[in-house]
Each structure stands twice: as structure tokens, then as C-alpha cells.
């Protein structure tokens, strides 16, 4: 069935028919399409375009379509152009003549916008729940080793010691921003477009506010041309999804390193690692590598739609049909990656002795020493230079921080006083970093509690479908 045959003397070629068909992917929207069609049938009843009888027939048919569309058999042999065409063909089959009126004043251009928004709202909520689950897994992993010390890095060189939960809380903050971005994307999608017609607005006295209420939209769109030409709301989601993927990819990269023999202080659980077909000793972090790898797909979806939209004249162009595979793939990929990352975090274990050893031997305490001198009135640049000389001397003579004593420090330079020796232990300097947001033990304890409260608020604000 075609929704537009009247003007044509010849039908589409077999190739064009195949080339332009979207049913095999946009059938994902069928539940949304039926839901929107019900609301539209109600609007047609209120306008007197459908009588009670016709409305009843259409509703019963839509009900049946909704149920049957959950089974694969429903789509057997379907060669409809898109999901909207399929639903209308089935309506004709099930409701007879009444179905002739369902498309009165309605365009697929607004329908596809409506369906995508309905579908996306739920996917965003599912994604928000998954972000919250990963945050919880990270908080649990942090609280399992509240006092563990690990080296913090810049340039992938050991820099300053931090508490293990402090490191994880950095990802919690990133994921919280991801949750917020999803929430903002949801708000942009949550605007009701129906009643816009093809581009010029509805030619019927349609109560758009009532439809919005019925479909639980926050507002109605304010310009019909914008509706037909707009995919910003999809791009907003793809940006949010891309940033989630980016964060997961960086965490994956960290954990691949930390669990390697070279770092050796994170252990991944057996169920998320795999072996080698040749090398019997291998325990490979494939789950994390795939999380990192799938990031490319999500970025690809974002950039594909960005490029797709950039040269399109107002308003709708068929190019826009290409938005959906990108959207569907990105939504599925990012949800899968979030679930995988959560499972990895739940099974991971820390070797706190190894990580603390790595933090203790690498001169991560140099900054603590320089700052101690500065707190006592020494100009920081001179303190920096003095500690730099201490490190150079130690490197040349093969000394680690733990090899120094109060006496040998004082012998090296009279500026070093006995109490400075305590700072050769990375745990000591950490205690000075209690300013909010730092790795001081009290600051981290407060940050963990604060993150728990924020997580509860996120959960409370995400609807369950
Ligand atoms: N399947 C189309 C899409 O996803 C919607 C239909 C609008 N088609 C049209 N030729 N006006 O974009």
C-alpha cells in the first residue's frame, strides 16, 4: 500500500522501492505510532471528523495492531514504505472504511517527529536508570576500600597520591553530568508536534493542548515549519550519548592499565575477562576494550546526523529518514556499554597494598614536601627547587622517599626540619588536602555521603516505564 499513488501514472521502480524503504528499522517505532494514532483519532472525534462508530472501529483496530505487532508474524511479507504506512494499511484491513479518515490533516512529517519523541523519552529514562546503576556500583567499589591509596597520574606519570574513592568519585561526577545531559535532552524531546501538518500547520480546528495532555507531553511546539525540519532533539540525545561513551571509554582505558601486570593493582573478575586461544596464561580485559571500542560507533552516529542535517533546506527532506538507524544504534550501544561497565565495576577488586606501594615509591610526596615548606613561609618557588634537588639526588643514588630519615634530610639541606620526614609517607600529605573537592580523608568521606544523596535524588527524578 502507498499513501500517495493518485498523482502518478507509473509506480516506483523495484530499486527505488527498496532503496527508500525504512520499515525494517523504523518498525521499532510501532508502539509509539499506535499510541500517537489513538490520540489523533480522539482529536478527530472531538472535531466531529470521526463519528462514534468510526472512532470505535479505529480504536479496536489500533488495539489489535498494538498487540499483534509484538509478534514477528505481524511483519511477514510486509513491503510497506515505512512504519506509518504499515499501521495505516493494517487499519484499513481491520477497521474497513473508517480507516479512510485517520490521516485527515495529518502528515507523516509530524508523525515521525511525534513517534521519535515518544520512543526517545522512554529510552532516555532507561539510559538514566543505567547511569544511576553504574554510579551506585562505583560508590560501592569506593566504599569497599575507603582508605586505599593509589597513585594519581598526569601525562600518565605518577603525580600525587589520592584515595581510591576519590578517584572513583571523579567518574561519579562525570556520570552525574551525563545524567543531567540526558535529562535536558529529554526535556527538549518532550514537546508535542502533532497538529503541524506537513509544514504549514493543521487545516482543522485541532486541540493540540489536549493531545499533549493525553500523551503526557510537557508542552506543544510553536512553529509547524520547525517541526517538519527539526532533528535537534535527536542530536541533543546523541551528544549526551557520545559524552557517556567518552567517559566510559576513559574509565575502560584506566582499568585496562590498572589491571595490567605493569600496574597490577586492580583485579577484574573472571566473568568479564577472556583467555587466549594460544597463550594459556592470558586473562584479557575484552569487556573494557569493547566498551572503549564501541565509543567510535556512538561518535559516528552523532557526526553522521550532524553532517546529514547541515545543508538541508527548510523544511522536511527525505534525507532525514536516515536519522533513525543512527539514533537506534547509539541508544542501544550506550545502554549495553553502561550495563557492561556496571558488571565490570561490581566484580572488580583492588589490591590496596600494591597501589599504595606504587604511590609510596614514586616521589609522589614531592609536592607535599614543597607545600609544607611554603606553609612555613618559604617562597614556593625556592621550596620547589629544593625538593627538586632532593628528587634528582635520590634518582641518581637510587633512593626512594622511604629511604630518607629526619637526620639524612637535615643533612641534605638545613631547611628540612624533623617533622618533614613524616611527609615521606603519602598518607601524611593527603591530610592537608581537606578543602572541598580534594583527596583529604574527611573531604572524601563527605563527598561519598554527598554522592549517595545525589544518587537517591537522581533515582527519584527518573520515571519507571
Ligand atoms: N519515513 C519517513 C522518515 O522517516 C517519514 C515519512 C515522510 N516522508 C515523506 N516523503 N514526506 O523520515
Amino acid at each position: 500500500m502507498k499513501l500517495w499513488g493518485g498523482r502518478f501514472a507509473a509506480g516506483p521502480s523495484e530499486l527505488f522501492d527498496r532503496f527508500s524503504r525504512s520499515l525494517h528499522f523504523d518498525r521499532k517505532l510501532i508502539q509509539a505510532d499506535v499510541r500517537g494514532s489513538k490520540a489523533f483519532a480522539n482529536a478527530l472525534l472531538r472535531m466531529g471528523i470521526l463519528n462514534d462508530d468510526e472512532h470505535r472501529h479505529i480504536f479496536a483496530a489500533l488495539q489489535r495492531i498494538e498487540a499483534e505487532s509484538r509478534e514477528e508474524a505481524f511483519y511477514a511479507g510486509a513491503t510497506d514504505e515505512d512504519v506509518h504506512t504499515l499501521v495505516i494499511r493494517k487499519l484499513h484491513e481491520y477497521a474497513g472504511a473508517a480507516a479512510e479518515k485517520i490521516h485527515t490533516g495529518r502528515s507523516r512529517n509530524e508523525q515521525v517527529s511525534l513517534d521519535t519523541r515518544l520512543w526517545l523519552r522512554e529510552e532516555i529514562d532507561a539510559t538514566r536508570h543505567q547511569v544511576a546503576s553504574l554510579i551506585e556500583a562505583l560508590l560501592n567499589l569506593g566504599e569497599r576500600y575507603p582508605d586505599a591509596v593509589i597513585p594519581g597520574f598526569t601525562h600518565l606519570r605518577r603525580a600525587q597520591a589520592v584515595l581510591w574513592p576519590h578517584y572513583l568519585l571523579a567518574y561519579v561526577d562525570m556520570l552525574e553530568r551525563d545524567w543531567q545531559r540526558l535529562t535536558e535532552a529529554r526535556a527538549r524531546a518532550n514537546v508535542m508536534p502533532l497538529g503541524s501538518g506537513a509544514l504549514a500547520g493543521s487545516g482543522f480546528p485541532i486541540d493540540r493542548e489536549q493531545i499533549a495532555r493525553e500523551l503526557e507531553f510537557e508542552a506543544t511546539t510553536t512553529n509547524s515549519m520547525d517541526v517538519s525540519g527539526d532533528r535537534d532533539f535527536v542530536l541533543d540525545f546523541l551528544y549526551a550519548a557520545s559524552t557517556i561513551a567518552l567517559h566510559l571509554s576513559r574509565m575502560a582505558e584506566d582499568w585496562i592499565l590498572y589491571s595490567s601486570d605493569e600496574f597490577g593493582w586492580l583485579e577484574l573478575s573472571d566473568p568479564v575477562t577472556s583467555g587466549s586461544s594460544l597463550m594459556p596464561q592470558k586473562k584479557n580485559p575484552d569487556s573494557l576494550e569493547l566498551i572503549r571500542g564501541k565509543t567510535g560507533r556512538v561518535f559516528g552516529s552523532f557526526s553522521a546526523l550532524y553532517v546529514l542535517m547541515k545543508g538541508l533546506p527548510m523544511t522536511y527532506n527525505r534525507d532525514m529518514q536516515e536519522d533513525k538507524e543512527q539514533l537506534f544504534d547509539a541508544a542501544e550501544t550506550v545502554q549495553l556499554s553502561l550495563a557492561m561497565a556496571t558488571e565490570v565495576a561490581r566484580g572488580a577488586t583492588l589490591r590496596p597494598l600494591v597501589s599504595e606501594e606504587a604511590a609510596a615509591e614514586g616521589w609522589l610526596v614531592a609536592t607535599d614536601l614543597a607545600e609544607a615548606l611554603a606553609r612555613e613561609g618559604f617562597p614556593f618557588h625556592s621550596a620547589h627547587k629544593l625538593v627538586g634537588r632532593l628528587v634528582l639526588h635520590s634518582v641518581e643514588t637510587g633512593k626512594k622517599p622511604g629511604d630518607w630519615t629526619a637526620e639524612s634530610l637535615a643533612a641534605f639541606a638545613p631547611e628540612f626540619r624533623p617533622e618533614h620526614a613524616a611527609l615521606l609517607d603519602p598518607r601524611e600529605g593527603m591530610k592537608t588536602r581537606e578543602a572541598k573537592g580534594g583527596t583529604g580523608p574527611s573531604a572524601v568521606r563527605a563527598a561519598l555521603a554527598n554522592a549517595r544523596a545525589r544518587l537517591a535524588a537522581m533515582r527519584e527524578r527518573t520515571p519507571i516505564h
Side-chain angles (χ1 to χ4, degrees):
M1 170 175 174
K2 291 264 170 294
L3 296 175
W4 41 263
R7 184 237 176 275
F8 292 83
S13 78
E14 188 276 330
L15 175 61
F16 172 59
D17 201 51
R18 237 177 340 112
F19 187 66
S20 62
R21 191 175 301 152
S22 57
L23 181 62
H24 54 287
F25 56 84
D26 68 15
R27 50 180 266 191
K28 252 198 170 68
L29 298 176
I30 196 155
Q31 297 294 329
D33 201 74
V34 169
R35 193 171 169 205
S37 295
K38 283 179 177 170
F40 194 64
N42 292 342
L44 292 175
L45 176 69
R46 290 194 296 274
M47 291 187 281
I49 292 166
L50 290 179
N51 64 33
D52 284 337
D53 247 19
E54 291 166 327
H55 178 262
R56 196 160 6 88
H57 280 124
I58 286 182
F59 235 75
L62 286 170
Q63 210 70 8
R64 187 171 156 193
I65 293 168
E66 191 180 352
E68 289 180 359
S69 67
R70 297 180 195 279
E71 305 296 328
E72 197 47 43
F74 181 76
Y75 306 93
T79 56
D80 308 272
E81 188 181 310
D82 57 22
V83 65
H84 324 293
T85 313
L86 168 68
V87 169
I88 292 179
R89 173 170 66 79
K90 291 282 185 178
L91 255 185
H92 275 265
E93 261 177 62
Y94 299 164
E100 288 287 327
K101 293 184 178 171
I102 185 66
H103 216 53
T104 309
R106 186 175 69 164
S107 162
R108 282 181 295 162
N109 299 348
E110 54 181 339
Q111 222 183 328
V112 74
S113 169
L114 175 75
D115 294 1
T116 309
R117 288 166 190 272
L118 285 170
W119 181 86
L120 185 53
R121 259 184 353 191
E122 292 196 9
E123 291 298 313
I124 287 178
D125 289 340
T127 313
R128 291 201 298 170
H129 278 297
Q130 285 186 317
V131 168
S133 296
L134 177 54
I135 289 176
E136 182 171 33
L138 294 179
L139 292 178
N140 290 344
L141 185 55
E143 281 165 0
R144 241 190 287 152
Y145 311 94
D147 309 318
V149 172
I150 65 165
F153 301 87
T154 63
H155 313 267
L156 197 56
R157 302 290 188 272
R158 281 179 244 182
Q160 288 182 278
V162 293
L163 287 175
W164 167 244
H166 190 62
Y167 160 77
L168 292 174
L169 280 164
Y171 281 102
V172 168
D173 279 6
M174 291 180 227
L175 288 163
E176 183 180 15
R177 291 195 298 275
D178 289 329
W179 186 92
Q180 290 163 349
R181 265 184 285 273
L182 288 169
T183 306
E184 286 152 18
R186 188 194 201 277
R188 292 238 172 65
N190 200 17
V191 186
M192 207 291 295
L194 221 54
S196 299
L199 78 161
S202 174
F204 299 82
I206 187 166
D207 185 351
R208 303 189 59 220
E209 307 302 329
Q210 177 57 30
I211 298 179
R213 274 192 296 278
E214 250 178 78
L215 295 174
E216 294 169 79
F217 278 100
E218 209 58 59
T220 52
T221 56
T222 54
N223 184 288
S224 61
M225 295 183 81
D226 180 39
V227 164
S228 294
D230 170 32
R231 290 294 179 271
D232 293 7
F233 67 96
V234 179
L235 286 168
D236 283 342
F237 170 74
L238 290 177
Y239 169 61
S242 294
T243 310
I244 294 173
L246 165 74
H247 291 153
L248 294 185
S249 182
R250 293 187 68 178
M251 193 172 86
E253 170 67 13
D254 278 355
W255 293 16
I256 289 167
L257 289 170
Y258 299 171
S259 63
S260 68
D261 294 335
E262 283 67 23
F263 286 70
W265 33 269
L266 193 67
E267 178 77 29
L268 302 174
S269 69
D270 285 1
V272 300
T273 45
S274 40
S276 159
S277 58
L278 182 77
M279 301 165 279
Q281 85 281 14
K282 292 298 289 284
K283 180 177 172 185
N284 294 326
D286 295 34
S287 52
L288 293 168
E289 290 168 307
L290 281 165
I291 289 171
R292 190 177 58 187
K294 284 176 191 290
T295 303
R297 295 169 65 135
V298 184
F299 290 6
S301 297
F302 176 61
S303 87
L305 185 59
Y306 227 65
V307 173
L308 168 77
M309 293 302 293
K310 88 170 246 301
L312 298 188
M314 282 279 270
T315 55
Y316 178 83
N317 300 269
R318 191 64 178 272
D319 318 43
M320 290 160 70
Q321 174 171 295
E322 294 279 316
D323 66 344
K324 274 173 285 300
E325 282 168 296
Q326 307 300 342
L327 172 60
F328 296 159
D329 189 74
E332 188 182 329
T333 303
V334 92
Q335 286 184 35
L336 258 176
S337 296
L338 279 164
M340 189 73 256
T342 305
E343 200 174 305
V344 172
R346 284 185 184 141
T349 45
L350 189 72
R351 293 198 195 92
L353 295 180
V354 180
S355 63
E356 184 157 356
E357 176 68 24
E361 67 181 26
W363 280 104
L364 288 83
V365 296
T367 310
D368 300 335
L369 280 171
E371 286 186 355
L373 291 165
R375 267 193 298 276
E376 289 153 17
F378 226 78
F380 184 73
H381 282 306
S382 321
H384 189 286
K385 200 183 273 171
L386 174 61
V387 178
R389 280 205 295 115
L390 177 71
V391 173
L392 178 63
H393 176 81
S394 302
V395 169
E396 283 171 352
T397 55
K399 270 189 167 148
K400 292 175 184 163
D403 299 331
W404 290 89
T405 60
E407 296 73 42
S408 58
L409 269 185
F412 180 81
E415 291 85 347
F416 286 121
R417 293 191 291 114
E419 56 270 32
H420 291 144
L423 286 166
L424 295 165
D425 176 352
R427 284 190 183 275
E428 256 338 274
M430 221 177 259
K431 291 179 189 160
T432 65
R433 309 195 179 282
E434 291 290 12
K436 184 182 175 187
T439 193
S442 303
V444 170
R445 220 171 306 119
L448 272 171
N450 185 272
R452 282 272 174 211
R454 276 148 44 210
L455 171 63
M458 281 180 237
R459 287 227 155 105
E460 222 161 87
R461 289 180 49 206
T462 312
I464 295 170
H465 298 280

